Amino acid sequence: MNQVPPVPRLSDANLHALPAYVAVPAYDRAATRIGIVHFGPGAFHRAHQAVYLDDLLAHDPDWAISAVSLHSAGVRDALRPQDGLYALELLGARDGGRSALRVIGSIREVLCAPQEREAVLARLADPQVRLVTLTITEKGYCLSADGIDAGHPDIVHDLAAPRTPVSAVGWLVEGLRLRRERGLAAYTVLSCDNLADNGGRLRRAVLDYARRLDPALAAWIEAETGFPRSMVDSITPATDDAVRARVAAALGVADAWPVQREPYAQWVVEDDFRHGRPPLERVGVVVGADIAGYDRAKLRLLNAPHSALAYLGSLLELETVAAAMAEPVLAGFVERLMRQDIVPSLQALPGFDPQAYVDAILARFRNPAIRHLLAQIAWDGSQKIPVRLLGTIAEALAAGRPVARLCLPVAGWLRFVARQARNGVAIDDPLAEALARTGAACTGEAEDVAGFLALDGVFGALAGDPRFAAALGEAYAALAPATPDAVRHALAAAAKP
Ligand code: CS2
């Protein structure tokens, strides 16, 4: 049999020989300098922040990225042989062609922290680096209600061995310790995850952790380090075989890990950088004095409905967001939930029209060019439900507003967990074991709810609120026996005014 010659990998060497319809970095990569360390270079970072930085490098060469994975070597092993380059496909981009496919060059270095500790510390202590950004998902922060979760195994490890950290907070603090020791300015720490008040929460966690190690270091961090809040938005389905095949055909060279996303993207950042920052506004980032309100609107009006579609759509045996939106009873329910139950929970923001924002989000969910799996959104429910839905419910209860509709997606999550447990399907969640146990004990009756309310760290104060327990119990009962017909019936009833 003839050996098929190996296709060359995408790299600096062949970047300028790509077909003309593939956009390539509009700057000399070799002339850029690393100014940002990023923890968590998953698909979202590579499809969002790294793209803004790719635009920015054409104006300012000082903000290339060193991308650091905290756990797995997968991204490093895929991208290092490609000089950090990878393709981004914009799904359903209106002009097709050139802007639909581009190669992103802003990641100049890819590291795997557990295997390359010295290199990561050298970057964190590099005076040229002035910003450390993070997309490590909700669970990566090891947060407690108002600081660090000191019982989390990674934090227990890091407090005992702070020079060889494993957690994100451990790395951030070790890097800041080195900078203080060497008389360097602190870096700014920018969380780009879907958490309300992400900067404030990370700041409290970092200071709490640092105080346990060295109060003087904590005081220095408090005085020197900015923790801006940010809101990030762009729908980014996980890379699948279809995008791999399209990219391979279009590039003519192999890309081990291309990424895809919708054309729309938004990034809003609070201006709390103490020692210089990239001129982000030049590339469409909104940099503002106070962005609180925007992060909350996005979490509540985009991410919460996403989770509602994920759990209720899965119970309806649907596979994608677009398919869930094509199910009139589910789309109708979600729209009513957004307009009538979530919008009233938002504070007024200058220039922000919540109903127009709802329209735009619903249109994005309907985009037929995007195959966004409900199963992807369903991951990590124990981390997502509290920040996406439970805050809105607690505020509605306090204000005397109804919570019946808001409880239905939460009940959908419980039914989803019970179904996975019954079918022996693994649940992707840091609480997977407890969820599997709780789900397996479910009988389908309203009593099941108490088992979920007893889970550690999910329901917070709501667990003890009899009004919430009653509303969640009713929503859970309304979905019984969780067949598609029963779910359709419950959705239709709940969508009534
Ligand atoms: C989604 C988000 O997977 C999920 O939980 O809700 O990743 C969502 O697509 C992004 O936040 C959109 O900006």
Side-chain angles (χ1 to χ4, degrees):
M1 222 166 71
N2 286 336
Q3 280 278 310
V4 180
V7 182
R9 286 283 279 279
L10 174 64
S11 70
D12 280 329
N14 55 36
L15 189 56
H16 294 284
L18 295 177
Y21 53 82
V22 180
V24 296
Y27 51 89
D28 175 9
R29 291 188 86 213
T32 64
R33 286 180 291 271
I34 290 176
I36 299 175
V37 170
H38 179 78
F39 286 122
F44 184 78
H45 166 74
R46 283 183 284 137
H48 183 270
Q49 180 185 335
V51 181
Y52 283 97
L53 270 306
D54 191 60
D55 289 336
L56 184 69
L57 287 170
H59 305 286
D60 183 339
D62 277 350
W63 301 98
I65 301 169
S66 169
V68 181
S69 300
L70 289 173
H71 303 290
S72 94
V75 174
R76 187 221 30 212
D77 293 349
L79 298 193
R80 191 176 284 171
Q82 312 181 172
D83 301 321
L85 296 165
Y86 59 94
L88 165 74
E89 189 186 23
L90 295 178
L91 300 162
R94 245 185 237 134
D95 52 353
R98 183 179 153 84
S99 70
L101 195 64
R102 61 187 273 192
V103 171
I104 304 301
S106 51
I107 297 183
R108 292 292 318 276
E109 173 176 76
V110 202
L111 300 170
C112 171
Q115 295 173 16
E116 294 164 290
R117 293 188 164 279
E118 292 310 316
V120 175
L121 287 175
R123 271 303 165 209
L124 289 173
D126 177 350
Q128 177 74 34
V129 167
R130 282 178 286 163
L131 176 60
V132 178
T133 56
L134 304 96
T135 48
I136 52 174
T137 78
E138 300 84 345
K139 61 178 178 275
Y141 290 90
C142 308
L143 297 170
S144 67
D146 53 2
I148 196 82
D149 175 3
H152 190 290
D154 291 355
I155 303 301
V156 172
H157 170 279
D158 289 0
L159 287 170
R163 303 284 152 89
T164 52
V166 295
S167 73
V169 167
W171 279 105
L172 287 171
V173 171
E174 178 58 7
L176 288 164
R177 187 193 68 76
L178 282 170
R179 293 175 82 104
R180 175 171 176 251
E181 188 180 86
R182 295 178 189 178
L184 299 170
Y187 41 66
T188 294
V189 178
L190 176 61
S191 165
C192 298
D193 275 294
N194 288 318
L195 291 165
D197 187 21
N198 49 13
R201 296 199 71 186
L202 178 55
R203 176 174 181 275
R204 289 191 289 280
V206 163
L207 293 177
D208 182 3
Y209 172 87
R211 265 184 217 116
R212 292 166 195 257
L213 292 175
D214 175 357
L217 172 62
W220 183 82
I221 295 174
E222 187 164 18
E224 296 296 323
T225 308
F227 291 85
R229 299 184 184 103
S230 75
M231 183 269 259
V232 293
D233 189 8
S234 191
I235 290 174
T236 306
T239 299
D240 55 16
D241 288 342
V243 68
R244 275 194 203 91
R246 287 194 299 268
V247 166
L251 294 186
V253 293
D255 178 353
W257 205 334
V259 294
Q260 57 180 340
R261 67 154 229 232
E262 64 177 335
Y264 177 88
Q266 194 179 22
W267 193 9
V268 183
V269 182
E270 190 177 35
D271 199 353
D272 182 22
F273 296 78
R274 313 272 167 95
H275 303 283
R277 68 167 173 86
L280 292 167
E281 58 278 14
R282 293 195 69 165
V283 290
V285 180
V286 178
V287 184
D290 177 11
I291 71 128
Y294 288 92
D295 54 350
R296 173 185 285 232
K298 190 260 171 169
L299 266 172
R300 293 186 176 193
L301 281 177
L302 188 148
N303 295 112
H306 241 179
S307 291
L309 291 168
Y311 299 120
L312 296 164
S314 297
L315 295 175
L316 289 173
E317 292 167 10
L318 301 167
E319 227 190 327
T320 65
V321 173
M325 290 299 292
E327 181 73 39
V329 74
L330 179 52
F333 167 79
V334 165
E335 179 164 357
R336 193 167 286 279
L337 178 76
M338 293 165 82
R339 295 197 196 278
Q340 295 205 343
D341 301 278
I342 301 178
V343 166
S345 80
L346 301 174
Q347 70 205 69
L349 296 168
F352 176 74
D353 172 353
Q355 298 297 349
Y357 190 57
V358 170
D359 292 339
I361 289 169
L362 290 170
R364 290 167 63 197
F365 286 174
R366 288 199 175 96
N367 186 342
I370 301 182
R371 196 178 141 69
H372 196 186
L373 295 180
L374 297 176
Q376 180 188 339
I377 302 167
W379 283 3
D380 290 351
S382 71
Q383 313 291 302
K384 291 176 175 175
I385 296 277
V387 292
R388 296 178 178 202
L389 280 156
L390 298 183
T392 312
I393 293 177
E395 284 174 23
L397 283 171
R401 289 192 300 267
V403 295
R405 248 189 311 263
L406 288 163
C407 284
L408 206 66
V410 184
W413 176 54
L414 310 192
R415 291 276 178 195
F416 170 83
V417 169
R419 191 185 69 181
Q420 303 299 83
R422 195 174 51 244
N423 295 343
V425 179
I427 297 168
D428 262 300
D429 195 295
L431 294 192
E433 268 176 45
L435 289 175
R437 256 196 323 275
T438 310
C442 285
T443 60
E445 301 299 320
E447 298 80 62
D448 295 347
V449 170
F452 285 99
L453 290 178
L455 285 169
D456 233 11
V458 178
F459 290 97
L462 280 178
D465 187 326
R467 295 168 301 174
F468 175 64
L472 185 58
E474 272 171 39
Y476 189 78
L479 292 172
T483 55
D485 277 349
V487 173
R488 255 185 222 106
H489 184 79
L491 289 170
K496 295 213 177 92

